[in-house]
Amino acid sequence: VRYQLYYWPTIQGRGEFVRLALEDAGADYADVARLPASAGGGVGAMMKILAAKDLRTRPFACPFLLAGRQCIAQAANILQFLGPRLALAPASEAGRLWVHQLQLTIADLVVEVHDTHHPVGSGLYFEDQKPEARRRTRSFLAERVPKFLGYFESLLATGAKPGGWTVAGRFSYIDLSLFQVIAGLRYAFPQAMRRSGRRYRHLAALHDRVADRPRIAGYLASPRRIAFNEDGIFRHYAELDA
Ligand SMILES: N[C@@H](CCC(=O)N[C@@H](CS)C(=O)NCC(=O)O)C(=O)O
């Protein structure tokens, strides 16, 4: 296969931003850690690469992508690499920098989403940091979601956007990533997201248009799309969605 994606096999997590791009493009790829060890897959195969001291561009963490002789990590960096190759990025340098800038902003948001359930330490159980998680989530929902989503909403609402895509004039991987953000926030915080009503209506419409893209619709209905769960980035804990 042309692209080998390595990511945790049982969660959407940060790998999902890459999976969505590969799926939308109909790319020739393998989700290696989800393959059986007998086929060279499994978490073991991923750990072997993360521990390969002789690998010149050895990643710090998954997701990472092998493409020919290249090994590329960091979700936003992988998308920057794949964008032009999968026709999911603007042609100009300025346009590519713009979608990368937006993807890095999503990466920042993803850290904050993660910190709602792990505000004290990633190595501690959620159950051991519940009061802090409640406090963190309150401020995340009250201040940070409106700031992040308000920003993306205003980009979509401003100016002529043929097709309704984020970057004027064309579909790009940022539209797929915004779909994932909306789907994830709705899963994690259904009440809070419902309460926001029509405040993010352009984002809601973008979410639906992405979900309707034939390859994405096929992917979402397939077993390749791992269901949201409480091991991923977007987790639903009723007590946090107050
Ligand atoms: N900024 C990186 C973060 C990578 C990352 O945190 N990966 C997680 C899984 S979602 C991981 O395996 N982390 C291991 C660690 O931080 O020790 C990205 O966007 O790809």
Side-chain angles (χ1 to χ4, degrees):
V1 296
R2 190 177 187 105
Y3 300 114
Q4 290 171 293
L5 171 67
Y6 288 78
Y7 193 66
W8 300 113
T10 55
I11 60 170
Q12 294 183 12
R14 291 175 170 92
E16 197 64 16
F17 296 100
V18 183
R19 290 189 183 117
L20 284 167
L22 292 164
E23 289 284 343
D24 186 80
D28 177 26
Y29 84 102
D31 201 341
V32 180
R34 297 181 71 189
L35 300 175
S38 56
V43 169
M46 180 164 92
M47 290 307 166
K48 218 166 134 189
I49 295 176
L50 287 169
K53 297 260 164 45
D54 55 343
L55 176 58
R56 196 175 47 84
T57 58
R58 182 166 60 98
F60 171 74
C62 63
F64 58 89
L65 186 81
L66 298 192
R69 294 164 62 84
Q70 283 176 284
C71 176
I72 303 147
Q74 291 281 356
N77 198 37
I78 298 169
L79 288 170
Q80 188 181 35
F81 168 81
L82 286 176
R85 289 167 176 81
L86 302 182
L88 287 173
S92 69
E93 185 187 32
R96 286 203 305 275
L97 281 171
W98 173 227
V99 288
H100 185 52
Q101 176 177 324
L102 292 172
Q103 192 66 41
L104 289 171
T105 307
I106 287 181
D108 291 344
L109 168 59
V110 165
V111 172
E112 296 199 26
V113 172
H114 170 271
D115 288 354
T116 59
H117 46 80
H118 279 78
V120 180
S122 298
L124 302 172
Y125 290 110
F126 166 66
E127 285 69 23
D128 296 331
Q129 43 192 319
K130 274 191 187 179
E132 295 89 350
R134 274 195 288 271
R135 217 172 145 203
R136 181 70 183 240
T137 303
R138 254 198 313 276
S139 106
F140 173 73
L141 292 176
E143 290 151 33
R144 302 303 284 169
V145 168
K147 184 157 184 182
F148 276 104
L149 293 194
Y151 169 71
F152 288 115
E153 176 71 16
S154 76
L155 292 182
L156 287 166
T158 309
K161 293 283 190 304
W165 305 122
T166 314
V167 172
R170 68 162 304 142
F171 180 77
S172 68
Y173 62 77
I174 202 67
D175 299 305
L176 294 165
S177 295
L178 284 172
F179 156 82
Q180 179 65 8
V181 163
I182 295 299
L185 288 174
R186 282 179 180 168
Y187 171 78
F189 307 110
Q191 290 199 56
M193 289 301 284
R194 257 198 309 275
R195 259 205 313 261
S196 65
R198 286 178 48 76
R199 192 165 173 180
Y200 309 121
R201 62 180 180 283
H202 290 87
L203 280 166
L206 175 72
H207 166 279
D208 294 351
R209 273 198 306 280
V210 170
D212 281 346
R213 288 172 70 80
R215 286 201 187 110
I216 294 296
Y219 169 61
L220 296 177
S222 79
R224 297 193 303 288
R225 171 77 164 183
I226 300 164
F228 283 111
N229 61 49
E230 280 52 63
D231 294 318
I233 303 277
F234 295 101
R235 302 186 187 191
H236 178 65
Y237 295 117
E239 60 215 280
L240 298 185
D241 179 31

